[in-house]
Amino acid sequence: MRTTRTARIALAGCALAALTVQLSPAYAGSARPEVSATTGTASVFKVNPVQSSGNESLTDDNDSATAVPASEYATVQLRNLDGSGYLTGKWVSVQSATGTPAYSATNTFVYDRHADQFEQVMAYFWINQAQEYLQSLGFGSTLRPVNAQQQQVKIDQYGGDNSYQTDKPFRIRYGKGGVDDAEDAEVIVHEYGHAVHAAQVPGFGASEEAGSIGEAWGDYLGITVGLDAAKQYNWPVKTDLACAMDWDATSYTSTVPHCLRRVDTNLTVADKTGEVHHDGTIWSRALWDIRNSYISLGLGSRRADTTIVDAQFDFAPDTSFSAAAKATYTKALARDGATAANAVRTAFANRGITF
Ligand SMILES: [Ca+2]
Ligand SMILES: [Ca+2]
Ligand SMILES: [Ca+2]
Ligand SMILES: [Zn+2]
């Protein structure tokens, strides 16, 4: 769940919110011809238009096409499609309750942000990108697979300004309050982060600290996948690296830079309030420090992410901060050696998390 200041919904955490609305398959009864190719072309935001432009004055303007300049869109490959001509493939299946499902006989999905299909394309591209990122770290080859399944995604007008990952059914829903949630890759991947946890540890999030780790991981994954993609596709990053959801946040934050949350706050366990998004920023700062320590040690962010993800397999569904920190330290020691492991221990200790 990506609770915002304007729409705080009383659910314990995304992974706990079991929404059971079951809609008929969006594509049932279609008479469209099959498309055989599994790679297509699409237009997407370069993570989000605030991050790629540095322009904190961009506004939603009621989903207007002209609110975001053409320079902030990139033409990309859509990979792993199933050849049906719809946005369904090996790692993602997008359904929409808003607007006609995107379809192209040539796998060409070029829309502007005013079109409902744009959010569908963004969700497909960014979830596929997140799974490809995890696989590029070795998950599914040298390491255990991580949520290597077709992620169900729904885009609709659900509630206020919020998005959810649910376990029953196993699905992500993106809302359309303010800036449409699926116009910001950091929102898209945040929710995918919850699906990753749920796939690694069934029932994950069964304590307040586990729920906080879930929110922290979603924010961190959104940022790291976006930064890795910016490197891969040569896109500019013009806002603070630690700022999550720069574009979505323009709808409900008045201070600049616009961030739903940051992963570099200075909170410690002494600042806990019992609210998972707030308390998650304690954990996400530790992840951020681990990342930067690995970069300083010459190990790089990808190695940090590999250790962080691999350690998550060892978290109990109702883990405490302390137990999860110890599991991360133990994984770092085994994979990366004593110097890296000590940096992990320090990152947690600086948040007041000891073991
Ligand atoms: Ca839109
Ligand atoms: Ca929104
Ligand atoms: Ca950002
Ligand atoms: Zn969340």
Side-chain angles (χ1 to χ4, degrees):
M1 179 168 49
R2 183 198 50 84
T3 297
T4 69
R5 205 179 291 178
T6 50
R8 207 171 278 285
I9 294 177
L11 294 170
C14 308
L16 300 179
L19 302 175
T20 52
V21 182
Q22 195 77 55
L23 300 182
S24 54
Y27 317 136
S30 163
R32 307 275 198 162
E34 290 267 309
V35 182
S36 56
T38 57
T39 300
T41 302
S43 191
V44 297
F45 285 152
K46 297 177 275 191
V47 178
N48 68 56
V50 174
Q51 180 166 310
S52 59
S53 70
N55 184 353
E56 298 281 351
S57 304
L58 292 178
T59 56
D60 181 49
D61 195 16
N62 222 351
D63 205 25
S64 142
T66 54
V68 173
S71 56
E72 304 319 311
Y73 292 81
T75 302
V76 290
Q77 253 191 359
L78 276 194
R79 293 181 286 271
N80 303 311
L81 292 160
D82 70 357
S84 66
Y86 290 101
L87 293 172
T88 181
K90 202 166 178 189
W91 310 121
V92 198
S93 177
V94 178
Q95 302 189 338
S96 183
T98 320
T100 311
Y103 170 84
S104 168
T106 58
N107 280 337
T108 306
F109 298 95
V110 177
Y111 303 96
D112 67 51
R113 67 181 292 265
H114 181 66
D116 288 321
Q117 292 78 16
F118 180 69
E119 286 84 62
Q120 300 168 25
V121 173
M122 282 284 287
Y124 184 93
F125 174 79
W126 281 104
I127 289 177
N128 180 77
Q129 182 75 24
Q131 177 58 223
E132 285 186 353
Y133 177 65
L134 292 167
Q135 292 187 16
S136 77
L137 300 178
F139 294 101
S141 52
T142 55
L143 297 161
R144 289 165 282 183
V146 170
N147 201 27
Q149 58 184 312
Q150 188 190 55
Q151 178 65 52
Q152 306 297 305
V153 173
K154 196 174 218 11
I155 296 168
D156 60 24
Q157 299 284 5
Y158 182 81
D161 189 0
N162 220 329
S163 294
Y164 298 88
Q165 182 269 326
T166 62
D167 288 356
K168 291 175 182 148
F170 194 76
R171 185 167 68 195
I172 294 171
R173 295 168 68 122
Y174 295 110
K176 292 175 78 79
V179 168
D180 295 333
D181 289 358
E183 284 192 23
D184 191 324
E186 291 176 326
V187 176
I188 295 170
V189 180
H190 171 100
E191 297 305 324
Y192 192 65
H194 290 301
V196 162
H197 260 154
Q200 288 191 285
V201 178
F204 186 80
S207 65
E208 195 273 336
E209 291 192 348
S212 301
I213 290 171
E215 298 307 332
W217 164 242
D219 289 353
Y220 179 83
L221 184 65
I223 288 174
T224 193
V225 166
L227 292 177
D228 191 77
K231 209 174 274 179
Q232 181 179 350
Y233 303 114
N234 205 15
W235 294 336
V237 178
K238 296 189 177 175
T239 51
D240 293 350
L241 303 189
C243 172
M245 312 179 198
D246 322 56
W247 173 222
D248 192 64
T250 61
S251 300
Y252 43 77
T253 57
S254 48
T255 52
V256 171
H258 298 287
C259 313
L260 172 60
R261 283 180 292 274
R262 302 186 62 100
V263 295
D264 63 352
T265 70
N266 210 24
L267 298 185
T268 72
V269 290
D271 301 305
K272 277 181 63 172
T273 64
E275 200 284 317
V276 291
H277 301 88
H278 174 272
D279 293 354
T281 59
I282 300 166
W283 188 264
S284 63
R285 169 65 193 271
L287 298 183
W288 193 242
D289 284 353
I290 291 168
R291 171 195 191 86
N292 287 319
S293 295
Y294 271 57
I295 291 170
S296 299
L297 292 169
L299 298 170
S301 61
R302 295 170 60 86
R303 186 129 169 203
D305 289 358
T306 309
T307 295
I308 288 166
V309 176
D310 205 27
Q312 289 179 169
F313 281 111
D314 299 330
F315 293 3
D318 61 348
T319 188
S320 63
F321 278 172
S322 175
K326 185 177 182 185
T328 308
Y329 168 83
T330 303
K331 184 62 71 179
L333 187 61
R335 284 183 46 83
D336 310 318
T339 307
N342 283 335
V344 169
R345 187 193 281 276
T346 301
F348 287 118
N350 287 344
R351 300 301 109 217
I353 302 168
T354 54
F355 50 86

